Amino acid sequence: MPSISFNFTPAALRLRVNEPETPTEPGSDPDPAADDEVNYPHEQLKLVHAEVTRQRTAVATRLGSMHTRGVILVTASGLTTTVLANSWISGWQFIGVLLTLAAAILGLWAVRPSKGIDANVTLHLNERLQAEPYETEHSIVMDSIAGLKDDMEKVELLGKQIVVGYGILVASWIAMPVMVVLVNAKII
């Protein structure tokens, strides 16, 4: 059974097939090209392209979900600020308002438009039109892989940012009853 190894590097997308060694007859030359790296067959590249496209679609869905969570964070922060401002007991409530403001800023930062890496087919259009179909698709796949990596990093960063924002919002919710208790106990 042949073993197959993949090398996904920006420099080259290659497939190496190592056939099991077969005994050679004395005096015959083994095939020197058997161990050389070869390009993927075009069908293999199409499979990789389809998988990268599928993953980019899934990551774009996750990115949209992060934006939705950011909007919910901004809305919840606004409602909390309204409740805090309309039931003013003490100047110490200003801490809760500042916390909700910080959460809202994190939510707004999460939904801001941002630029990313994308497979720009028109960037090297002339070169791609003159190249072989395999080379053109290979170039597009490598651009898409770079975009996928960028999108995945963006989703991870937004996820952490939104978790921190919700943590700050919860702290502002906890701050309100604590302030009420402290004011009623005449501690502050």
Side-chain angles (χ1 to χ4, degrees):
M1 180 92 177
S3 66
I4 300 175
S5 64
F6 295 95
N7 179 11
F8 291 105
T9 62
L13 187 58
R14 306 250 185 221
L15 171 70
R16 183 176 179 92
V17 178
N18 298 318
E19 295 292 334
E21 290 193 27
T22 55
T24 57
E25 294 181 20
S28 67
D29 290 334
D31 183 12
D35 290 334
D36 291 341
E37 286 189 1
V38 295
N39 283 340
Y40 275 116
H42 202 130
E43 295 78 29
Q44 294 284 105
L45 185 62
K46 286 185 182 288
L47 289 173
V48 171
H49 193 174
E51 179 60 20
V52 169
T53 302
R54 185 198 64 77
Q55 287 182 10
R56 289 210 65 191
T57 302
V59 170
T61 302
R62 289 179 61 203
L63 192 58
S65 174
M66 292 298 162
H67 288 154
T68 301
R69 292 173 187 175
V71 168
I72 292 170
L73 179 59
V74 170
T75 303
S77 297
L79 290 172
T80 303
T81 301
T82 302
V83 168
L84 288 173
N86 286 332
S87 59
W88 203 260
I89 296 174
S90 164
W92 288 99
Q93 281 180 273
F94 192 65
I95 294 170
V97 172
L98 286 177
L99 289 172
T100 58
L101 179 63
I105 289 170
L106 284 172
L108 285 171
W109 189 259
V111 298
R112 80 191 185 290
S114 62
K115 287 181 140 182
I117 299 172
D118 203 2
N120 187 350
V121 179
T122 61
L123 183 63
H124 302 289
L125 184 62
N126 290 332
E127 293 87 351
R128 287 179 174 170
L129 289 175
Q130 295 172 3
E132 294 293 321
Y134 176 86
E135 292 170 355
T136 301
E137 189 163 6
H138 179 270
S139 175
I140 292 169
V141 167
M142 294 313 294
D143 288 349
S144 292
I145 288 173
L148 175 62
K149 182 180 176 188
D150 181 60
D151 290 347
M152 290 172 70
E153 289 171 357
K154 194 178 302 180
V155 166
E156 185 177 333
L157 178 68
L158 287 178
K160 290 176 183 177
Q161 181 179 336
I162 289 172
V163 166
V164 169
Y166 278 111
I168 292 172
L169 183 61
V170 167
S172 74
W173 291 342
I174 293 171
M176 178 61 181
V178 169
M179 294 300 160
V180 169
V181 168
L182 292 175
V183 166
N184 288 337
K186 301 205 188 290
I187 295 175
I188 54 171

mmCIF file with all atom_site columns, all heavy atoms in Angstrom, residues 77 80-85 88 92-103 172 175:
data_model
loop_
_atom_site.group_PDB
_atom_site.id
_atom_site.type_symbol
_atom_site.label_atom_id
_atom_site.label_alt_id
_atom_site.label_comp_id
_atom_site.label_asym_id
_atom_site.label_entity_id
_atom_site.label_seq_id
_atom_site.pdbx_PDB_ins_code
_atom_site.Cartn_x
_atom_site.Cartn_y
_atom_site.Cartn_z
_atom_site.occupancy
_atom_site.B_iso_or_equiv
_atom_site.pdbx_formal_charge
_atom_site.auth_seq_id
_atom_site.auth_comp_id
_atom_site.auth_asym_id
_atom_site.auth_atom_id
_atom_site.pdbx_PDB_model_num
ATOM 1   N N   . SER A 1 77  ? -25.985 46.332 27.109 1.00 0.00 ? 77  SER A N   1
ATOM 2   C CA  . SER A 1 77  ? -25.278 47.391 27.836 1.00 0.00 ? 77  SER A CA  1
ATOM 3   C C   . SER A 1 77  ? -26.103 48.673 27.863 1.00 0.00 ? 77  SER A C   1
ATOM 4   O O   . SER A 1 77  ? -26.167 49.360 28.893 1.00 0.00 ? 77  SER A O   1
ATOM 5   C CB  . SER A 1 77  ? -23.922 47.660 27.185 1.00 0.00 ? 77  SER A CB  1
ATOM 6   O OG  . SER A 1 77  ? -23.105 46.528 27.250 1.00 0.00 ? 77  SER A OG  1
ATOM 7   N N   . THR A 1 80  ? -28.971 48.199 30.321 1.00 0.00 ? 80  THR A N   1
ATOM 8   C CA  . THR A 1 80  ? -28.470 48.245 31.701 1.00 0.00 ? 80  THR A CA  1
ATOM 9   C C   . THR A 1 80  ? -28.133 49.671 32.110 1.00 0.00 ? 80  THR A C   1
ATOM 10  O O   . THR A 1 80  ? -28.435 50.099 33.234 1.00 0.00 ? 80  THR A O   1
ATOM 11  C CB  . THR A 1 80  ? -27.231 47.341 31.850 1.00 0.00 ? 80  THR A CB  1
ATOM 12  O OG1 . THR A 1 80  ? -27.583 46.018 31.457 1.00 0.00 ? 80  THR A OG1 1
ATOM 13  C CG2 . THR A 1 80  ? -26.726 47.319 33.273 1.00 0.00 ? 80  THR A CG2 1
ATOM 14  N N   . THR A 1 81  ? -27.540 50.424 31.224 1.00 0.00 ? 81  THR A N   1
ATOM 15  C CA  . THR A 1 81  ? -27.213 51.827 31.523 1.00 0.00 ? 81  THR A CA  1
ATOM 16  C C   . THR A 1 81  ? -28.484 52.621 31.768 1.00 0.00 ? 81  THR A C   1
ATOM 17  O O   . THR A 1 81  ? -28.540 53.452 32.684 1.00 0.00 ? 81  THR A O   1
ATOM 18  C CB  . THR A 1 81  ? -26.409 52.449 30.364 1.00 0.00 ? 81  THR A CB  1
ATOM 19  O OG1 . THR A 1 81  ? -25.221 51.687 30.179 1.00 0.00 ? 81  THR A OG1 1
ATOM 20  C CG2 . THR A 1 81  ? -26.049 53.890 30.647 1.00 0.00 ? 81  THR A CG2 1
ATOM 21  N N   . THR A 1 82  ? -29.520 52.360 30.986 1.00 0.00 ? 82  THR A N   1
ATOM 22  C CA  . THR A 1 82  ? -30.799 53.056 31.169 1.00 0.00 ? 82  THR A CA  1
ATOM 23  C C   . THR A 1 82  ? -31.393 52.742 32.535 1.00 0.00 ? 82  THR A C   1
ATOM 24  O O   . THR A 1 82  ? -31.868 53.646 33.239 1.00 0.00 ? 82  THR A O   1
ATOM 25  C CB  . THR A 1 82  ? -31.784 52.658 30.051 1.00 0.00 ? 82  THR A CB  1
ATOM 26  O OG1 . THR A 1 82  ? -31.199 52.970 28.792 1.00 0.00 ? 82  THR A OG1 1
ATOM 27  C CG2 . THR A 1 82  ? -33.107 53.374 30.196 1.00 0.00 ? 82  THR A CG2 1
ATOM 28  N N   . VAL A 1 83  ? -31.366 51.474 32.926 1.00 0.00 ? 83  VAL A N   1
ATOM 29  C CA  . VAL A 1 83  ? -31.905 51.086 34.236 1.00 0.00 ? 83  VAL A CA  1
ATOM 30  C C   . VAL A 1 83  ? -31.091 51.739 35.351 1.00 0.00 ? 83  VAL A C   1
ATOM 31  O O   . VAL A 1 83  ? -31.655 52.257 36.322 1.00 0.00 ? 83  VAL A O   1
ATOM 32  C CB  . VAL A 1 83  ? -31.909 49.545 34.377 1.00 0.00 ? 83  VAL A CB  1
ATOM 33  C CG1 . VAL A 1 83  ? -32.178 49.121 35.816 1.00 0.00 ? 83  VAL A CG1 1
ATOM 34  C CG2 . VAL A 1 83  ? -32.920 48.933 33.439 1.00 0.00 ? 83  VAL A CG2 1
ATOM 35  N N   . LEU A 1 84  ? -29.774 51.718 35.213 1.00 0.00 ? 84  LEU A N   1
ATOM 36  C CA  . LEU A 1 84  ? -28.927 52.326 36.250 1.00 0.00 ? 84  LEU A CA  1
ATOM 37  C C   . LEU A 1 84  ? -29.167 53.831 36.357 1.00 0.00 ? 84  LEU A C   1
ATOM 38  O O   . LEU A 1 84  ? -29.197 54.391 37.459 1.00 0.00 ? 84  LEU A O   1
ATOM 39  C CB  . LEU A 1 84  ? -27.449 52.053 35.951 1.00 0.00 ? 84  LEU A CB  1
ATOM 40  C CG  . LEU A 1 84  ? -26.964 50.624 36.170 1.00 0.00 ? 84  LEU A CG  1
ATOM 41  C CD1 . LEU A 1 84  ? -25.530 50.476 35.655 1.00 0.00 ? 84  LEU A CD1 1
ATOM 42  C CD2 . LEU A 1 84  ? -27.033 50.241 37.629 1.00 0.00 ? 84  LEU A CD2 1
ATOM 43  N N   . ALA A 1 85  ? -29.323 54.485 35.223 1.00 0.00 ? 85  ALA A N   1
ATOM 44  C CA  . ALA A 1 85  ? -29.491 55.941 35.226 1.00 0.00 ? 85  ALA A CA  1
ATOM 45  C C   . ALA A 1 85  ? -30.860 56.350 35.761 1.00 0.00 ? 85  ALA A C   1
ATOM 46  O O   . ALA A 1 85  ? -30.997 57.417 36.369 1.00 0.00 ? 85  ALA A O   1
ATOM 47  C CB  . ALA A 1 85  ? -29.288 56.490 33.828 1.00 0.00 ? 85  ALA A CB  1
ATOM 48  N N   . TRP A 1 88  ? -31.302 56.109 40.122 1.00 0.00 ? 88  TRP A N   1
ATOM 49  C CA  . TRP A 1 88  ? -30.087 56.645 40.737 1.00 0.00 ? 88  TRP A CA  1
ATOM 50  C C   . TRP A 1 88  ? -30.256 56.731 42.250 1.00 0.00 ? 88  TRP A C   1
ATOM 51  O O   . TRP A 1 88  ? -31.180 57.328 42.761 1.00 0.00 ? 88  TRP A O   1
ATOM 52  C CB  . TRP A 1 88  ? -29.795 58.023 40.152 1.00 0.00 ? 88  TRP A CB  1
ATOM 53  C CG  . TRP A 1 88  ? -28.357 58.392 40.281 1.00 0.00 ? 88  TRP A CG  1
ATOM 54  C CD1 . TRP A 1 88  ? -27.817 59.216 41.220 1.00 0.00 ? 88  TRP A CD1 1
ATOM 55  C CD2 . TRP A 1 88  ? -27.282 57.961 39.468 1.00 0.00 ? 88  TRP A CD2 1
ATOM 56  N NE1 . TRP A 1 88  ? -26.467 59.312 41.039 1.00 0.00 ? 88  TRP A NE1 1
ATOM 57  C CE2 . TRP A 1 88  ? -26.104 58.546 39.957 1.00 0.00 ? 88  TRP A CE2 1
ATOM 58  C CE3 . TRP A 1 88  ? -27.179 57.113 38.371 1.00 0.00 ? 88  TRP A CE3 1
ATOM 59  C CZ2 . TRP A 1 88  ? -24.858 58.340 39.404 1.00 0.00 ? 88  TRP A CZ2 1
ATOM 60  C CZ3 . TRP A 1 88  ? -25.941 56.911 37.810 1.00 0.00 ? 88  TRP A CZ3 1
ATOM 61  C CH2 . TRP A 1 88  ? -24.792 57.519 38.323 1.00 0.00 ? 88  TRP A CH2 1
ATOM 62  N N   . TRP A 1 92  ? -22.033 56.388 43.614 1.00 0.00 ? 92  TRP A N   1
ATOM 63  C CA  . TRP A 1 92  ? -21.250 55.167 43.396 1.00 0.00 ? 92  TRP A CA  1
ATOM 64  C C   . TRP A 1 92  ? -21.785 54.335 42.224 1.00 0.00 ? 92  TRP A C   1
ATOM 65  O O   . TRP A 1 92  ? -21.097 53.475 41.705 1.00 0.00 ? 92  TRP A O   1
ATOM 66  C CB  . TRP A 1 92  ? -21.236 54.320 44.672 1.00 0.00 ? 92  TRP A CB  1
ATOM 67  C CG  . TRP A 1 92  ? -20.374 54.932 45.737 1.00 0.00 ? 92  TRP A CG  1
ATOM 68  C CD1 . TRP A 1 92  ? -20.798 55.690 46.790 1.00 0.00 ? 92  TRP A CD1 1
ATOM 69  C CD2 . TRP A 1 92  ? -18.960 54.847 45.829 1.00 0.00 ? 92  TRP A CD2 1
ATOM 70  N NE1 . TRP A 1 92  ? -19.727 56.091 47.547 1.00 0.00 ? 92  TRP A NE1 1
ATOM 71  C CE2 . TRP A 1 92  ? -18.582 55.585 46.976 1.00 0.00 ? 92  TRP A CE2 1
ATOM 72  C CE3 . TRP A 1 92  ? -17.967 54.244 45.074 1.00 0.00 ? 92  TRP A CE3 1
ATOM 73  C CZ2 . TRP A 1 92  ? -17.263 55.717 47.378 1.00 0.00 ? 92  TRP A CZ2 1
ATOM 74  C CZ3 . TRP A 1 92  ? -16.657 54.371 45.476 1.00 0.00 ? 92  TRP A CZ3 1
ATOM 75  C CH2 . TRP A 1 92  ? -16.307 55.106 46.614 1.00 0.00 ? 92  TRP A CH2 1
ATOM 76  N N   . GLN A 1 93  ? -23.017 54.583 41.842 1.00 0.00 ? 93  GLN A N   1
ATOM 77  C CA  . GLN A 1 93  ? -23.574 53.852 40.704 1.00 0.00 ? 93  GLN A CA  1
ATOM 78  C C   . GLN A 1 93  ? -22.847 54.188 39.413 1.00 0.00 ? 93  GLN A C   1
ATOM 79  O O   . GLN A 1 93  ? -22.982 53.476 38.418 1.00 0.00 ? 93  GLN A O   1
ATOM 80  C CB  . GLN A 1 93  ? -25.066 54.166 40.538 1.00 0.00 ? 93  GLN A CB  1
ATOM 81  C CG  . GLN A 1 93  ? -25.926 53.409 41.493 1.00 0.00 ? 93  GLN A CG  1
ATOM 82  C CD  . GLN A 1 93  ? -27.369 53.762 41.282 1.00 0.00 ? 93  GLN A CD  1
ATOM 83  O OE1 . GLN A 1 93  ? -27.853 54.729 41.850 1.00 0.00 ? 93  GLN A OE1 1
ATOM 84  N NE2 . GLN A 1 93  ? -28.035 52.983 40.467 1.00 0.00 ? 93  GLN A NE2 1
ATOM 85  N N   . PHE A 1 94  ? -22.101 55.255 39.469 1.00 0.00 ? 94  PHE A N   1
ATOM 86  C CA  . PHE A 1 94  ? -21.314 55.643 38.304 1.00 0.00 ? 94  PHE A CA  1
ATOM 87  C C   . PHE A 1 94  ? -20.363 54.517 37.890 1.00 0.00 ? 94  PHE A C   1
ATOM 88  O O   . PHE A 1 94  ? -20.056 54.355 36.710 1.00 0.00 ? 94  PHE A O   1
ATOM 89  C CB  . PHE A 1 94  ? -20.542 56.936 38.628 1.00 0.00 ? 94  PHE A CB  1
ATOM 90  C CG  . PHE A 1 94  ? -19.936 57.585 37.430 1.00 0.00 ? 94  PHE A CG  1
ATOM 91  C CD1 . PHE A 1 94  ? -20.732 58.097 36.424 1.00 0.00 ? 94  PHE A CD1 1
ATOM 92  C CD2 . PHE A 1 94  ? -18.558 57.673 37.295 1.00 0.00 ? 94  PHE A CD2 1
ATOM 93  C CE1 . PHE A 1 94  ? -20.180 58.699 35.306 1.00 0.00 ? 94  PHE A CE1 1
ATOM 94  C CE2 . PHE A 1 94  ? -17.994 58.273 36.181 1.00 0.00 ? 94  PHE A CE2 1
ATOM 95  C CZ  . PHE A 1 94  ? -18.806 58.781 35.179 1.00 0.00 ? 94  PHE A CZ  1
ATOM 96  N N   . ILE A 1 95  ? -19.928 53.693 38.864 1.00 0.00 ? 95  ILE A N   1
ATOM 97  C CA  . ILE A 1 95  ? -19.057 52.545 38.561 1.00 0.00 ? 95  ILE A CA  1
ATOM 98  C C   . ILE A 1 95  ? -19.782 51.572 37.631 1.00 0.00 ? 95  ILE A C   1
ATOM 99  O O   . ILE A 1 95  ? -19.219 51.098 36.645 1.00 0.00 ? 95  ILE A O   1
ATOM 100 C CB  . ILE A 1 95  ? -18.608 51.848 39.860 1.00 0.00 ? 95  ILE A CB  1
ATOM 101 C CG1 . ILE A 1 95  ? -17.721 52.771 40.673 1.00 0.00 ? 95  ILE A CG1 1
ATOM 102 C CG2 . ILE A 1 95  ? -17.898 50.525 39.567 1.00 0.00 ? 95  ILE A CG2 1
ATOM 103 C CD1 . ILE A 1 95  ? -17.414 52.264 42.074 1.00 0.00 ? 95  ILE A CD1 1
ATOM 104 N N   . GLY A 1 96  ? -21.049 51.291 37.944 1.00 0.00 ? 96  GLY A N   1
ATOM 105 C CA  . GLY A 1 96  ? -21.839 50.398 37.095 1.00 0.00 ? 96  GLY A CA  1
ATOM 106 C C   . GLY A 1 96  ? -22.037 50.959 35.700 1.00 0.00 ? 96  GLY A C   1
ATOM 107 O O   . GLY A 1 96  ? -21.973 50.230 34.703 1.00 0.00 ? 96  GLY A O   1
ATOM 108 N N   . VAL A 1 97  ? -22.268 52.259 35.620 1.00 0.00 ? 97  VAL A N   1
ATOM 109 C CA  . VAL A 1 97  ? -22.432 52.904 34.314 1.00 0.00 ? 97  VAL A CA  1
ATOM 110 C C   . VAL A 1 97  ? -21.145 52.816 33.507 1.00 0.00 ? 97  VAL A C   1
ATOM 111 O O   . VAL A 1 97  ? -21.162 52.538 32.299 1.00 0.00 ? 97  VAL A O   1
ATOM 112 C CB  . VAL A 1 97  ? -22.895 54.372 34.483 1.00 0.00 ? 97  VAL A CB  1
ATOM 113 C CG1 . VAL A 1 97  ? -22.892 55.106 33.157 1.00 0.00 ? 97  VAL A CG1 1
ATOM 114 C CG2 . VAL A 1 97  ? -24.281 54.422 35.116 1.00 0.00 ? 97  VAL A CG2 1
ATOM 115 N N   . LEU A 1 98  ? -20.003 53.045 34.159 1.00 0.00 ? 98  LEU A N   1
ATOM 116 C CA  . LEU A 1 98  ? -18.716 52.921 33.458 1.00 0.00 ? 98  LEU A CA  1
ATOM 117 C C   . LEU A 1 98  ? -18.473 51.499 32.965 1.00 0.00 ? 98  LEU A C   1
ATOM 118 O O   . LEU A 1 98  ? -17.953 51.294 31.863 1.00 0.00 ? 98  LEU A O   1
ATOM 119 C CB  . LEU A 1 98  ? -17.569 53.372 34.370 1.00 0.00 ? 98  LEU A CB  1
ATOM 120 C CG  . LEU A 1 98  ? -17.430 54.867 34.591 1.00 0.00 ? 98  LEU A CG  1
ATOM 121 C CD1 . LEU A 1 98  ? -16.301 55.155 35.577 1.00 0.00 ? 98  LEU A CD1 1
ATOM 122 C CD2 . LEU A 1 98  ? -17.180 55.594 33.282 1.00 0.00 ? 98  LEU A CD2 1
ATOM 123 N N   . LEU A 1 99  ? -18.860 50.523 33.776 1.00 0.00 ? 99  LEU A N   1
ATOM 124 C CA  . LEU A 1 99  ? -18.696 49.128 33.349 1.00 0.00 ? 99  LEU A CA  1
ATOM 125 C C   . LEU A 1 99  ? -19.562 48.811 32.130 1.00 0.00 ? 99  LEU A C   1
ATOM 126 O O   . LEU A 1 99  ? -19.107 48.154 31.193 1.00 0.00 ? 99  LEU A O   1
ATOM 127 C CB  . LEU A 1 99  ? -19.012 48.174 34.506 1.00 0.00 ? 99  LEU A CB  1
ATOM 128 C CG  . LEU A 1 99  ? -17.998 48.132 35.648 1.00 0.00 ? 99  LEU A CG  1
ATOM 129 C CD1 . LEU A 1 99  ? -18.532 47.311 36.809 1.00 0.00 ? 99  LEU A CD1 1
ATOM 130 C CD2 . LEU A 1 99  ? -16.674 47.573 35.152 1.00 0.00 ? 99  LEU A CD2 1
ATOM 131 N N   . THR A 1 100 ? -20.811 49.289 32.143 1.00 0.00 ? 100 THR A N   1
ATOM 132 C CA  . THR A 1 100 ? -21.665 49.036 30.977 1.00 0.00 ? 100 THR A CA  1
ATOM 133 C C   . THR A 1 100 ? -21.151 49.779 29.744 1.00 0.00 ? 100 THR A C   1
ATOM 134 O O   . THR A 1 100 ? -21.253 49.274 28.632 1.00 0.00 ? 100 THR A O   1
ATOM 135 C CB  . THR A 1 100 ? -23.137 49.425 31.238 1.00 0.00 ? 100 THR A CB  1
ATOM 136 O OG1 . THR A 1 100 ? -23.210 50.800 31.596 1.00 0.00 ? 100 THR A OG1 1
ATOM 137 C CG2 . THR A 1 100 ? -23.749 48.566 32.316 1.00 0.00 ? 100 THR A CG2 1
ATOM 138 N N   . LEU A 1 101 ? -20.589 50.942 29.953 1.00 0.00 ? 101 LEU A N   1
ATOM 139 C CA  . LEU A 1 101 ? -19.992 51.676 28.840 1.00 0.00 ? 101 LEU A CA  1
ATOM 140 C C   . LEU A 1 101 ? -18.816 50.899 28.255 1.00 0.00 ? 101 LEU A C   1
ATOM 141 O O   . LEU A 1 101 ? -18.676 50.790 27.031 1.00 0.00 ? 101 LEU A O   1
ATOM 142 C CB  . LEU A 1 101 ? -19.547 53.066 29.298 1.00 0.00 ? 101 LEU A CB  1
ATOM 143 C CG  . LEU A 1 101 ? -18.870 53.935 28.245 1.00 0.00 ? 101 LEU A CG  1
ATOM 144 C CD1 . LEU A 1 101 ? -19.843 54.245 27.109 1.00 0.00 ? 101 LEU A CD1 1
ATOM 145 C CD2 . LEU A 1 101 ? -18.342 55.223 28.860 1.00 0.00 ? 101 LEU A CD2 1
ATOM 146 N N   . ALA A 1 102 ? -17.979 50.332 29.127 1.00 0.00 ? 102 ALA A N   1
ATOM 147 C CA  . ALA A 1 102 ? -16.849 49.527 28.650 1.00 0.00 ? 102 ALA A CA  1
ATOM 148 C C   . ALA A 1 102 ? -17.338 48.304 27.877 1.00 0.00 ? 102 ALA A C   1
ATOM 149 O O   . ALA A 1 102 ? -16.788 47.959 26.825 1.00 0.00 ? 102 ALA A O   1
ATOM 150 C CB  . ALA A 1 102 ? -15.979 49.096 29.828 1.00 0.00 ? 102 ALA A CB  1
ATOM 151 N N   . ALA A 1 103 ? -18.392 47.659 28.359 1.00 0.00 ? 103 ALA A N   1
ATOM 152 C CA  . ALA A 1 103 ? -18.947 46.495 27.653 1.00 0.00 ? 103 ALA A CA  1
ATOM 153 C C   . ALA A 1 103 ? -19.508 46.914 26.292 1.00 0.00 ? 103 ALA A C   1
ATOM 154 O O   . ALA A 1 103 ? -19.317 46.207 25.292 1.00 0.00 ? 103 ALA A O   1
ATOM 155 C CB  . ALA A 1 103 ? -20.032 45.837 28.503 1.00 0.00 ? 103 ALA A CB  1
ATOM 156 N N   . SER A 1 172 ? -21.205 44.746 35.938 1.00 0.00 ? 172 SER A N   1
ATOM 157 C CA  . SER A 1 172 ? -22.031 45.940 36.156 1.00 0.00 ? 172 SER A CA  1
ATOM 158 C C   . SER A 1 172 ? -23.380 45.559 36.757 1.00 0.00 ? 172 SER A C   1
ATOM 159 O O   . SER A 1 172 ? -23.928 46.301 37.579 1.00 0.00 ? 172 SER A O   1
ATOM 160 C CB  . SER A 1 172 ? -22.225 46.719 34.854 1.00 0.00 ? 172 SER A CB  1
ATOM 161 O OG  . SER A 1 172 ? -23.133 46.068 33.997 1.00 0.00 ? 172 SER A OG  1
ATOM 162 N N   . ALA A 1 175 ? -22.715 44.956 40.322 1.00 0.00 ? 175 ALA A N   1
ATOM 163 C CA  . ALA A 1 175 ? -22.381 46.202 41.019 1.00 0.00 ? 175 ALA A CA  1
ATOM 164 C C   . ALA A 1 175 ? -23.633 46.920 41.509 1.00 0.00 ? 175 ALA A C   1
ATOM 165 O O   . ALA A 1 175 ? -23.608 47.543 42.588 1.00 0.00 ? 175 ALA A O   1
ATOM 166 C CB  . ALA A 1 175 ? -21.569 47.117 40.111 1.00 0.00 ? 175 ALA A CB  1
#
